[in-house]
Amino acid sequence: MNLEELNATATSERLARMKKRHHMYVCVGTACQALNSEQIAKALQAALKQSGQSSEVEVKCVGCPGLCSLGPLVEIESQINGQVAPGAAEDERRRSVLYQFVKPEDAGEIVAHLDGEPVKRLETPLNQPFFTRQTKIVLEHCGKIDPERIEDYIAVGGYQALLKVLTEMTPQQVIDEITRSGLRGRGGAGFPTGLKWGTVAKSDPSAYPTNVPEGIQSRKFVICNGDEGDPGAFMDRSVMEGDPHRILEGMAIAAYAVGANQGFIYVRAEYPLAVKRLRTAIRQAQRAGLLGSGIGGTAFSFNVDIRLGAGAFVCGEETALMASIEGGRGVPRPRPPFPAESGLWGCPTLINNVETLANVPPIILKGAAWFASIGTEKSKGTKVFALTGQVTNTGLIEVPMGISLREIVFDIGGGIPGGRQFKAVQTGGPSGGCIPAQFLDMPVDYESLAKVGSIMGSGGMIVMDDSTDMVEVARFFMEFCMDESCGKCIPCRAGTVQMYRILTKIQEGRATRRDIQILEELCDMVKHTSLCGLGQSAPNPVISTLRYFREEYERKVNGAQGSEVSVGSEEWGVGKLTAHSA
Amino acid sequence: MISTITKTMTSTPTAPGRPTGNGAVAATPSDRLAGDKRYKIIEATMRRYGYQGHGLIEALHSAQEAFGYLDDFTLKHISRTLHLPPSKVFGVATFYNLFTLKPQGAHTCVVCLGTACYIKGAREVLAAIEGEYDVKAGGTTRDSQLSLLTARCFGSCALAPVITFDGETIGKVTPTAVAQQIAQRLAAVQQAR
């Protein structure tokens, strides 16, 4: 498909769409699907058939519009009856209604009210802060397009950026544009994306020994990291499920910029729907000539394969992820050399997170300056968060960088339910920390979060109310890291076990003040001596809860201050270990 | 531990005439491969990756999907076909949480212990199921009907706490009602049979 054909498809899709008076968007994301939303789509179609309106109304199964706690959600967009000025903008001519908690048996009533007043008992306002305070770039199409139809994506401007890049820009110009946009890695660490792309582009595949399997021609690779392992995070899942072509387009642009011809999407096997939709998307893009050889009539070739994870959290770490793609155990290796120089099978490899790649097509289309105008000085654009926990509106949100935590929790999130008080918000999953109420007005960006001892992370944001036991939260994350430690390096393998034991001891009321001291020493040691990000960040939840909720720890220890090393720690030899390391 | 693994992995998996797990009488390994169509699925996966080592995880996924778990015979078959040492195949199969070397029950219930579910009471939910079915997480009931597993987040955090029954997601469960929800589904599938 070249640019002309792409435009023709987009135009014919839009025309076909305009012929329909109403559009019904039924969310079939994982959460709504679990509540039988596919049955709702079928019921709506049946009701429309019965009332003879099938030809005028379109029912679309779409990805997640975000407000999962009110699911299943059905949004209805209608053309306003009567004449509208010919020059009126698209949204002036349309009216949108959002229905919450829809059941298949509501279909008849919804259809009957299509042209009249909305069904009051199901309606939820679209002008509530949850929707109005968001800025959508990555999620702009989620909830609006059918993720299983490439034509839907093309109709909203899909693959335009890829063809623009291939026909009008040199790889260096693409890298410069991404650099100027200020985009930083959305996987958590916030490394400047343009800088990473530039390094891979410059890297010489013959600089390091390689062993690429037979049948794979490429000597550079692009990997999309979709191994979203943080418990409590589902941003990448929603993008993969709701707008899979967007990721493929971002990958293809990245591949052109760095000179790769083969890409891999590494997805958790726990996300079967995402895997299915990505597979469909790859097939469709290949058939349309937007992936494969000679993309868009140019000489550029790029193929994408999916690789399934198998339930190992550490595989989100880039070197472990590559080991897993190579078919082995997902254990990390020391860096340098960084994957940008010697990665998959020893070749220069670009690894970007799902959300990072999804930001690429709009940057190319709307320009670096547009993107850089959103956000703060050092953190540009938006960030998608999975807002969960003890908060009224749980779901997926996309907000400009620099928004305050208070706005997220109390405006968008609707505050704490059940008359409870806000206590802390946990960001960054097992690698992050808990942020207490005193920082609610802090802007959310990479630097500010790091300053208060947490991290941006991939975007899990878990709100905790005053009933939450912070030591238990720390213990939960430590148990997670202990289970997920791959075992390659000792500080992480043994340190997480010891820290978990001390936390358990504190919880069981058997600990002394000395144990807290040992815990702190262990945190320091594991943080500074572990091989990869998992171990280096595993102490974070403990460190941050000790920093802000120390009194909770102290309330639980029974011994007097300055007491000798407790029996428990002698038993594990921890006292000696830390004495040496200190 | 390691010595027993090597032993079982290298010895002939099924002696001639000895009944196999599914009740059939298998003769030699090649008979067993020829007699079970499910090995063709695994074969197709390995072929797709040119019988190269980087297809190992995908091959294990295929095998687990086909058989429900990975037994010694299958692991050894994959090891031989991909020209990988059994230690590597066994190492990979045991490294990843999703692969299991034990046969599973007829039905599987997975309790999510991700952060969002955890702070909304997933532990109590798990305890309720363990109590009702007299099975510990990771185990299977004595009648082989139900395997109880735990997971780290399905990404359905908005519905927390979440469990799945045979892949079907059940959200907002409570410790008091969860056992009955499972019982209903167990009864429904047994009746359908």
Side-chain angles (χ1 to χ4, degrees):
Chain A
M1 209 180 255
N2 57 29
L3 193 58
E4 229 165 78
E5 291 161 334
L6 192 75
N7 286 333
T9 308
T11 314
S12 74
E13 271 295 312
R14 278 188 215 128
L15 282 176
R17 225 182 96 83
M18 297 218 341
K19 287 197 188 116
K20 308 273 185 185
R21 284 195 305 120
H22 303 281
H23 300 270
M24 295 182 165
Y25 305 106
V26 183
C27 176
V28 289
T30 295
C32 284
Q33 204 181 49
L35 300 166
N36 266 332
S37 63
E38 277 176 342
Q39 295 304 318
I40 298 169
K42 284 195 189 119
L44 285 169
Q45 262 150 352
L48 287 168
K49 206 169 172 187
Q50 211 173 18
S51 67
Q53 297 183 80
S54 289
S55 60
E56 297 170 18
V57 184
E58 180 190 48
V59 180
K60 230 183 231 312
C61 289
V62 298
C64 185
L67 196 44
C68 305
S69 53
L70 302 184
L73 293 166
V74 176
E75 186 176 350
I76 298 175
E77 223 176 70
S78 310
Q79 284 181 7
I80 292 168
N81 284 331
Q83 284 301 307
V84 182
E90 179 86 355
D91 50 343
E92 281 175 48
R93 286 191 255 177
R94 292 181 178 277
R95 177 189 79 167
S96 288
V97 179
L98 184 66
Y99 290 136
Q100 60 181 358
F101 304 127
V102 181
K103 293 187 189 68
E105 48 272 31
D106 298 326
E109 196 177 348
I110 291 173
V111 168
H113 283 75
L114 268 179
D115 287 302
E117 278 296 298
V119 185
K120 279 277 167 272
R121 67 183 177 89
L122 295 173
E123 195 186 0
T124 184
L126 271 163
N127 60 2
Q128 54 186 305
F130 183 86
F131 296 108
T132 56
R133 299 298 278 275
Q134 295 195 46
T135 305
K136 294 202 171 182
I137 298 175
V138 171
L139 299 176
E140 61 180 334
H141 304 317
C142 282
K144 294 285 177 196
I145 64 170
D146 182 343
E148 301 194 4
R149 285 187 79 232
I150 190 171
E151 295 83 0
D152 269 39
Y153 182 62
I154 292 173
V156 292
Y159 290 109
Q160 294 276 353
L162 175 60
L163 293 190
K164 178 181 170 184
V165 160
L166 294 182
T167 53
E168 295 172 21
M169 296 168 84
T170 63
Q172 189 55 47
Q173 283 173 324
V174 179
I175 293 169
D176 291 343
E177 193 72 8
I178 297 297
T179 307
R180 270 198 304 275
S181 75
L183 177 65
R184 294 169 66 175
R186 298 293 193 246
F191 191 80
T193 306
L195 192 58
K196 204 187 236 183
W197 288 26
T199 313
V200 181
K202 275 190 231 102
S203 292
D204 175 6
S206 56
Y208 288 88
T210 59
N211 63 2
V212 184
E214 274 172 54
I216 294 179
Q217 303 304 329
S218 189
R219 289 299 175 268
K220 285 188 183 180
F221 299 100
V222 170
I223 297 174
C224 170
N225 184 347
D227 190 54
E228 187 173 48
D230 279 10
F234 51 99
M235 304 76 49
D236 296 347
R237 194 207 68 201
S238 293
V239 181
M240 291 188 281
E241 283 177 9
D243 199 1
H245 283 285
R246 177 78 167 255
I247 300 162
L248 299 181
E249 187 178 4
M251 284 180 80
I253 294 170
Y256 173 73
V258 304
N261 303 111
Q262 175 68 49
F264 294 97
I265 308 181
Y266 189 87
V267 194
R268 305 175 73 196
E270 290 91 334
Y271 288 177
L273 195 60
V275 173
K276 174 175 162 255
R277 291 192 178 151
L278 282 167
R279 285 214 168 109
T280 307
I282 291 173
R283 218 171 28 242
Q284 290 171 343
Q286 281 169 341
R287 211 172 295 146
L290 295 163
L291 277 184
S293 48
I295 296 176
T298 68
F300 177 63
S301 298
F302 182 59
N303 281 304
V304 176
D305 278 329
I306 292 179
R307 288 300 167 91
L308 287 186
F313 175 67
V314 70
C315 287
E317 199 277 341
E318 52 185 15
T319 60
L321 186 151
M322 293 187 303
S324 184
I325 292 182
E326 289 172 7
R329 293 193 217 184
V331 286
R333 59 159 177 77
R335 300 174 303 177
F338 286 92
E341 293 169 319
S342 171
L344 193 60
W345 294 302
C347 298
T349 304
L350 174 71
I351 303 191
N352 276 145
N353 161 271
V354 168
E355 196 184 328
T356 314
L357 290 165
N359 269 303
V360 168
I363 291 175
I364 297 296
L365 280 185
K366 298 182 189 173
W370 160 80
F371 190 80
S373 71
I374 305 164
T376 63
E377 195 199 332
K378 285 187 175 162
S379 305
K380 302 296 186 190
T382 58
K383 179 77 192 87
V384 183
F385 288 104
L387 188 63
T388 56
Q390 317 285 15
V391 62
T392 306
N393 298 329
T394 55
L396 210 63
I397 59 165
E398 183 172 358
V399 288
M401 296 274 190
I403 191 172
S404 73
L405 276 173
R406 186 183 299 281
E407 281 172 275
I408 293 180
V409 175
F410 290 93
D411 296 345
I412 297 174
I416 316 297
R420 292 233 163 232
Q421 292 295 309
F422 171 88
K423 183 166 190 179
V425 52
Q426 208 278 346
T427 67
S431 319
C434 293
I435 305 169
Q438 73 225 56
F439 297 116
L440 269 175
D441 292 304
M442 181 192 81
V444 173
D445 61 33
Y446 290 100
E447 278 73 24
S448 308
L449 286 169
K451 211 157 62 189
V452 299
S454 188
I455 57 165
M456 176 75 79
S458 57
M461 192 174 265
I462 295 145
V463 181
M464 298 170 186
D465 68 17
D466 54 2
S467 68
T468 314
D469 177 344
M470 300 315 273
V471 183
E472 188 56 31
V473 170
R475 192 172 82 117
F476 166 77
F477 283 120
M478 194 51 71
E479 186 186 11
F480 181 89
C481 291
M482 175 177 80
D483 286 350
E484 295 297 337
S485 173
C486 78
K488 182 168 177 173
C489 73
I490 296 163
C492 174
R493 180 179 70 217
T496 50
V497 174
Q498 299 307 341
M499 288 191 283
Y500 175 73
R501 286 191 182 167
I502 296 178
L503 287 164
T504 305
K505 211 172 146 195
I506 295 173
Q507 280 304 67
E508 290 173 356
R510 296 184 289 112
T512 64
R513 280 175 190 278
R514 176 73 183 126
D515 286 304
I516 298 184
Q517 210 181 330
I518 296 169
L519 183 64
E520 284 183 302
E521 286 167 13
L522 272 172
C523 281
D524 189 65
M525 185 193 66
V526 173
K527 186 178 175 140
H528 290 104
T529 56
S530 292
L531 173 63
C532 83
L534 195 157
Q536 288 159 10
S537 61
N540 281 354
V542 180
I543 296 172
S544 82
T545 46
L546 267 171
R547 184 165 161 190
Y548 300 119
F549 303 98
R550 197 180 183 93
E551 70 285 357
E552 289 190 33
Y553 283 84
E554 289 182 342
R555 221 178 297 138
K556 292 180 191 228
V557 299
N558 49 24
Q561 192 162 16
S563 72
E564 286 306 299
V565 174
S566 64
V567 180
S569 46
E570 278 284 28
E571 197 177 292
W572 314 322
V574 177
K576 279 180 199 149
L577 184 75
T578 47
H580 282 298
S581 68
Chain B
M1 178 68 180
I2 291 169
S3 64
T4 53
I5 291 157
T6 336
K7 211 173 148 194
T8 52
M9 296 279 291
T10 45
S11 63
T12 313
T14 322
R18 196 187 295 168
T20 58
N22 52 20
V25 177
T28 63
S30 55
D31 281 354
R32 186 163 164 188
L33 290 174
D36 196 330
K37 281 188 182 146
R38 289 175 290 186
Y39 284 107
K40 293 222 167 66
I41 305 169
I42 307 169
E43 183 71 19
T45 305
M46 292 191 285
R47 196 185 316 121
R48 196 161 65 237
Y49 292 94
Y51 299 104
Q52 297 179 88
H54 67 107
L56 172 59
I57 293 175
E58 298 292 325
L60 293 174
H61 271 301
S62 283
Q64 177 146 319
E65 209 169 295
F67 293 100
Y69 74 109
L70 304 167
D71 65 0
D72 279 355
F73 179 82
T74 308
L75 288 176
K76 200 185 167 201
H77 169 61
I78 292 173
S79 135
R80 208 185 302 116
T81 318
L82 297 182
H83 303 293
L84 293 171
S87 59
K88 161 118 187 179
V89 176
F90 189 84
V92 170
T94 50
F95 180 84
Y96 293 96
N97 294 332
L98 233 61
F99 297 131
T100 169
L101 274 58
K102 282 187 291 188
Q104 298 296 295
H107 305 283
T108 311
C109 176
V110 190
V111 179
C112 178
L113 290 182
T115 323
C117 292
Y118 192 80
I119 68 167
K120 286 200 169 178
R123 245 180 336 163
E124 289 77 20
V125 169
L126 180 64
I129 303 172
E130 285 180 337
E132 181 68 28
Y133 288 92
D134 189 23
V135 58
K136 285 277 163 217
T140 301
T141 53
R142 241 170 267 136
D143 61 2
S144 301
Q145 280 301 300
L146 189 70
S147 287
L148 181 62
L149 305 171
T150 59
R152 300 291 194 191
C153 199
F154 307 132
S156 302
C157 313
L159 301 177
V162 179
I163 65 165
T164 65
F165 180 84
D166 285 353
E168 174 203 357
T169 309
I170 310 167
K172 298 182 182 169
V173 293
T174 60
T176 42
V178 68
Q180 208 196 339
Q181 282 172 301
I182 295 171
Q184 275 169 2
R185 282 169 176 80
L186 271 176
V189 282
Q190 273 156 3
Q191 208 166 23
R193 225 181 282 148

